[in-house]
Amino acid sequence: MPRDPGPPPAKKFKPGSVFFRFDKNKPGMLLPRKENAASPIDVQRKQLPIYQAKPQLLSQLRTLHSAILIGETGSGKTTQIPQYLYEAGIGRQGLIAVTQPRRVAAISLAGRVAEEKRTQLGKLVGYTVRFEDVTSAETKLKFMTDGMLLREAIGDPLLLRYTVVVLDEAHERTVHTDVLFGVVKTAQRRRRELSKVPLKVIVMSATMDVDLFSEYFNKSPVLYLEGRQHPIQIYYTKQPQSDYLHAALVTIFQIHQEAPPSHDILVFMTGQEEIEALARTCRDIAKHLPDSCGPMAVVPLYASLPPLQQLRVFQPAPKGCRKIILSTNIAETLLSTISRIKVYATPGMVKAKRFNPASGLEVLAQRVSKAQAWQRAGRAGREDSGCCYRLYTEEEFDGLVPMTVPEIQRCNLAGVMLQLMALGIPDVMNFDFMSKPSPEAVHSAVEHLELLGAVERKDGQVQLTALGRKMASFPLEPRYAKTILLSPDYSCSVKILSIVSLLSVHTVPYNPPARREEVAGRPQEISSEGDHMTLLIYRAFKKVSGNKSECRENFVNSRNMSLVKEQAQLKDICLKIDASELSLHFQMEIGGLRRSLANGMFLNADEQQRRASCMPDGTHLALDTHQSAVLIHPKPAFVNYNELLHDRCLMRAECLVDAESQVDAAPQY
């Protein structure tokens, strides 16, 4: 097969950039971090590549207001930079915030740093993610998702609690990250103008468009950390692969037969369903392999796995056994290097939502960018030379886009616009985005909010309404926030809070392909009112989530059911907004519950007798029901649905509704 010559040469360093080159003969460069019980944590920290650059880094960061830090995955920048700053007294006047795009990363990193600082999690080191706050008055190093820091900025636009904000994994460019860039940049400027305590901003990543980031953050200098890179052999397929799942399966067993048992394999897939299907197939085939091939341990890894199960990827396989890790792109930015990974395979696909404002359709799977492909390949060369199998042709690789399209340019902006207006941004249409979304997407989002009653137009300006300001208080999509706020009118607040919290886990209902013929014979506990009402019944299974057989018989995903968070945080927000008006009712009437849901979800309505739904642009689109839906047979006349997936226009999570409720919810629509 043709082989790739390797990544393109590094850019020439701009004036003002600092480049820290590590000596390959130094111990810190040759010893990757390993979880060794015999080795004290402080010794492990000194073995990290970044340790050699500590004096120079602190000297630079002490004087700079903003800095762009580029360092290879595994160099230790994420865990060590906050500690270096705190230990050196930089930013001790307030909190040091470290943002992560993913909640699992924020939680894991906080736990690791707390262990390194020998402190209880929640004291000196803490974290804040959606539905969970593990901090105290003692907390100085605070790990959090970028969305949570953005929510704090609504009440404190200058972020006065913080003296340092570290924006980590900036290359992922999630929608919250891009908005946070603008908010932090504005807070930094305003604090300087008002003679407040300065805000230091550090942007970190392994790969990014440094010119774009440096220019956006007022031409900030770039600090480069160069780690050791072992040679990686790149392989491509000779022909395009129509079925990348089959290609991945064949590649796994070809490598398993030929590579030494000490070479573990990392395979990138797009999502949980693919990973679980491939894992089952691998385990079934492995049972029938000859003894000469040796055993294999298949370990899945995706964001919704419980933390204890995620940690299995770091545990070494038994002697003579090969570990096969099937992962989403979460493995691109893991807390620490997974040992023994020397072979990596990828179909070149990633699950990333791309929203069409005209149709409301979300397409999930798409091709990776070249930058993402190179970052993935680096996972195979962390400890020794490795191999990378790209399950597509070299010509297909050459046709990939150079950088990943930022999420802000491919998502529904309704929530973003609501947050910006709650932040007091005077002109949301011209907010200082690093990469501006299309005018069509912005206008579509504002129209969406206008229909929900969250905004109104006055004198040519878009302003928040009283309802919209309350909606912005929730860490939820605007439609769910409105549903909660109007639920007291139908005496169903507690049940609505349960439904909304359950919707945070997308795959609570489980309809395995091998049992589709059993759908018609589902147990009576499944609600005929739709998926939303069935979620209330699933709520009871949380107490018995360990009983896998009972969950399986009732088509409940026992693994994900254990992840469902309590709605206490949402209840607290409700009471803070208006404790006198928003009482929490315990009596429920199904019709009222459906009408309450219609208040927030009337934009997602489908008249299934006509097999078509009116889209935001006024056109009609033929829709079908997702195979996991309760209402797949028989199909009712009218439904509300949560989202549209893929080009086949599949509706996921439906709720039975009547036409009158739709009209009452939004007569103008």
Side-chain angles (χ1 to χ4, degrees):
M1 300 183 196
R3 302 189 181 184
D4 195 278
K11 291 184 178 181
K12 293 183 178 179
F13 304 119
K14 301 184 303 179
S17 299
V18 180
F19 181 51
F20 302 109
R21 182 181 295 278
F22 295 130
D23 186 347
K24 293 185 178 181
N25 296 318
K26 290 186 178 180
M29 195 62 250
L30 296 175
L31 296 176
R33 183 174 72 199
K34 294 183 180 179
E35 299 298 332
N36 187 346
S39 177
I41 288 180
D42 55 347
V43 174
Q44 296 176 30
R45 292 181 64 191
K46 291 179 180 179
Q47 292 174 349
L48 291 169
I50 196 174
Y51 181 76
Q52 299 174 46
K54 179 179 178 180
Q56 304 99 304
L57 273 174
L58 286 176
S59 176
Q60 291 287 330
L61 295 177
R62 195 182 297 275
T63 59
L64 295 172
H65 292 294
S66 301
I68 313 298
L69 181 61
I70 307 295
E72 204 176 319
T73 301
S75 64
K77 61 185 183 301
T78 302
T79 56
Q80 302 308 302
I81 289 293
Q83 296 184 69
Y84 291 170
L85 293 171
Y86 178 76
E87 291 163 2
I90 302 174
R92 280 202 181 187
Q93 306 95 314
L95 297 178
I96 297 174
V98 185
T99 67
Q100 292 288 324
R102 305 171 192 278
R103 59 180 288 132
V104 62
I107 296 171
S108 301
L109 287 165
R112 173 66 193 187
V113 174
E115 182 184 3
E116 291 183 0
K117 297 299 292 181
R118 295 179 175 84
T119 182
Q120 183 181 342
L121 188 61
K123 293 193 174 181
L124 174 65
V125 183
Y127 69 86
T128 302
V129 297
R130 187 178 177 184
F131 298 129
E132 199 170 353
D133 183 1
V134 184
T135 59
S136 66
E138 303 175 41
T139 302
K140 292 295 182 181
L141 302 179
K142 186 176 179 180
F143 289 82
M144 57 205 308
T145 55
D146 39 24
M148 292 310 297
L149 183 57
L150 192 57
R151 299 212 60 78
E152 286 194 31
I154 293 177
D156 179 18
L158 297 183
L159 298 173
L160 292 174
R161 295 182 61 203
Y162 302 94
T163 47
V164 181
V165 173
V166 180
L167 304 170
D168 196 21
E169 304 298 352
H171 69 278
E172 292 206 16
R173 301 290 302 277
T174 66
V175 61
H176 285 142
T177 304
D178 267 33
V179 175
L180 194 57
F181 288 160
V183 170
V184 169
K185 180 181 175 182
T186 301
Q188 187 183 44
R189 186 191 73 247
R190 291 287 297 146
R191 281 167 64 160
R192 187 166 53 247
E193 293 171 352
L194 298 172
S195 300
K196 301 287 187 181
V197 176
L199 177 64
K200 192 181 295 291
V201 179
I202 303 172
V203 184
M204 301 197 307
S205 178
T207 58
M208 70 166 72
D209 187 341
V210 291
D211 294 334
L212 176 65
F213 276 82
S214 177
E215 188 69 26
Y216 181 77
F217 285 99
N218 306 312
K219 299 184 178 179
S220 299
V222 183
L223 313 180
Y224 291 89
L225 295 171
E226 186 184 66
R228 178 173 60 95
Q229 178 64 58
H230 294 288
I232 301 172
Q233 201 80 340
I234 308 291
Y235 296 92
Y236 294 95
T237 60
K238 293 182 179 179
Q239 302 293 333
Q241 303 297 306
S242 57
D243 185 347
Y244 63 80
L245 274 174
H246 176 73
L249 185 65
V250 171
T251 303
I252 288 171
F253 283 97
Q254 179 181 340
I255 296 170
H256 183 55
Q257 290 179 336
E258 299 174 357
S262 61
H263 290 192
D264 290 342
I265 304 172
L266 171 63
V267 184
F268 281 103
M269 303 305 294
T270 64
Q272 176 182 344
E273 292 181 3
E274 285 185 356
I275 287 173
E276 291 184 341
L278 187 60
R280 285 194 299 270
T281 306
C282 287
R283 293 183 184 116
D284 290 343
I285 295 176
K287 294 176 183 177
H288 305 288
L289 290 177
D291 294 339
S292 58
C293 292
M296 66 163 59
V298 183
V299 183
L301 177 63
Y302 44 85
S304 59
L305 271 178
L308 289 177
Q309 293 191 39
Q310 290 179 354
L311 292 177
R312 289 178 56 201
V313 301
F314 299 106
Q315 298 171 359
K319 187 175 181 180
C321 180
R322 188 193 312 280
K323 184 165 60 177
I324 312 291
I325 300 174
L326 308 179
S327 175
T328 60
N329 57 349
I330 188 177
E332 294 175 15
T333 53
L334 283 174
L335 167 62
S336 57
T337 301
I338 303 173
S339 61
R340 297 205 335 168
I341 294 293
K342 297 186 180 179
V343 184
Y344 143 77
T346 175
M349 302 294 291
V350 65
K351 184 174 284 189
K353 286 186 177 182
R354 188 171 68 252
F355 179 75
N356 184 333
S359 66
L361 190 68
E362 291 181 340
V363 181
L364 291 178
Q366 64 183 39
R367 280 288 189 185
V368 297
S369 64
K370 283 186 178 179
Q372 197 170 11
W374 283 120
Q375 185 169 10
R376 287 183 168 190
R379 303 305 310 178
R382 299 301 304 140
E383 297 178 343
D384 202 346
S385 58
C387 297
C388 169
Y389 291 83
R390 289 176 174 158
L391 308 182
Y392 45 91
T393 65
E394 190 171 11
E395 291 74 19
E396 288 176 306
F397 174 79
D398 292 336
L400 296 177
V401 296
M403 301 294 294
T404 304
V405 178
E407 188 180 4
I408 198 74
Q409 295 181 333
R410 51 181 172 81
C411 74
N412 186 344
L413 297 176
V416 175
M417 294 295 108
L418 184 64
Q419 285 183 330
L420 291 178
M421 282 184 272
L423 285 165
I425 304 299
D427 186 6
V428 294
M429 298 291 193
N430 296 300
F431 180 73
D432 185 18
F433 287 111
M434 181 182 290
S435 302
K436 291 189 179 298
S438 68
E440 295 81 9
V442 174
H443 287 294
S444 173
V446 173
E447 289 175 3
H448 184 165
L449 293 175
E450 197 171 6
L451 287 168
L452 287 172
V455 302
E456 59 185 358
R457 298 179 188 269
K458 285 186 179 180
D459 302 325
Q461 294 291 322
V462 179
Q463 299 178 359
L464 273 182
T465 63
L467 176 63
R469 190 162 299 280
K470 291 180 180 179
M471 289 167 60
S473 302
F474 291 87
L476 301 168
E477 292 182 38
R479 53 181 174 160
Y480 295 143
K482 182 180 179 181
T483 300
I484 291 174
L485 287 169
L486 297 188
S487 61
D489 297 343
Y490 305 96
S491 301
C492 58
S493 296
V494 169
K495 300 300 182 183
I496 285 293
L497 290 176
S498 292
I499 289 175
V500 171
S501 63
L502 283 161
L503 286 172
S504 64
V505 178
H506 289 292
T507 52
V508 172
Y510 180 50
N511 185 12
R515 302 178 66 193
R516 286 178 189 167
E517 67 277 3
E518 300 179 39
V519 170
R522 288 186 177 198
Q524 294 298 315
E525 288 80 3
I526 302 302
S527 174
S528 60
E529 300 288 331
D531 297 294
H532 296 83
M533 308 306 156
T534 302
L535 287 175
L536 294 176
I537 299 172
Y538 289 155
R539 186 73 176 169
F541 286 95
K542 188 176 188 300
K543 299 177 182 178
V544 293
S545 57
N547 190 337
K548 294 183 179 180
S549 61
E550 187 172 348
C551 289
R552 184 168 56 251
E553 290 304 314
N554 288 276
F555 298 93
V556 177
N557 190 319
S558 60
R559 177 182 293 171
N560 282 1
M561 204 62 208
S562 64
L563 303 176
V564 174
K565 300 296 181 184
E566 298 295 336
Q567 67 262 31
Q569 186 183 22
L570 296 179
K571 187 184 297 185
D572 290 342
I573 294 172
C574 291
L575 297 175
K576 286 177 183 177
I577 290 174
D578 198 330
S580 60
E581 286 186 17
L582 198 55
S583 57
L584 301 178
H585 299 274
F586 287 88
Q587 295 181 353
M588 183 193 72
E589 189 259 329
I590 287 292
L593 190 56
R594 283 162 34 190
R595 288 192 292 274
S596 180
L597 287 167
N599 279 316
M601 301 178 62
F602 60 84
L603 283 168
N604 293 9
D606 176 48
E607 186 177 358
Q608 296 207 357
Q609 287 179 336
R610 297 184 179 179
R611 304 287 296 163
S613 178
C614 183
M615 295 293 104
D617 62 354
T619 61
H620 285 77
L621 191 66
L623 305 179
D624 203 353
T625 300
H626 194 274
Q627 64 185 27
S628 65
V630 171
L631 298 177
I632 191 167
H633 295 299
K635 290 184 171 61
F638 293 93
V639 294
N640 285 136
Y641 56 88
N642 269 28
E643 57 187 345
L644 289 178
L645 299 179
H646 308 292
D647 296 319
R648 291 178 292 158
C649 306
L650 299 178
M651 297 179 291
R652 184 158 68 180
E654 297 178 344
C655 172
L656 185 66
V657 71
D658 57 84
E660 184 180 350
S661 297
Q662 294 294 111
V663 176
D664 291 342
Q668 74 278 24
Y669 180 66

